[in-house]
Amino acid sequence: MATGKLLLGLLGFSDQLLRARAINARSSLELKAMQLEELLQRIHDNLLLTNH
């Protein structure tokens, strides 16, 4: 019985770690997307400046 509780506890801990990693990955992707958007905007602005 103690082994079963330990196993359930480990599975719950593992699930929490996976959720935290997913949240971190999502946050990282959102940050990268914002940085890419800013970079594309700068490229666009530079192209407009050089074409006029």
Side-chain angles (χ1 to χ4, degrees), residues 15-40:
D15 186 50
Q16 286 179 339
L17 284 178
L18 287 174
R19 287 174 194 245
R21 287 178 67 186
I23 290 168
N24 286 340
R26 180 178 174 188
S27 297
S28 179
L29 284 174
E30 288 172 345
L31 178 59
K32 295 289 185 202
M34 287 178 6
Q35 291 171 337
L36 181 57
E37 195 173 350
E38 290 173 7
L39 178 60
L40 289 173

Side-chain angles (χ1 to χ4, degrees), residues 2 12 21 25 37 39 42 46-48 50-51:
R21 287 178 67 186
E37 195 173 350
L39 178 60
R42 276 190 250 145
N46 285 336
L47 286 173
L48 287 177
T50 56
N51 288 330

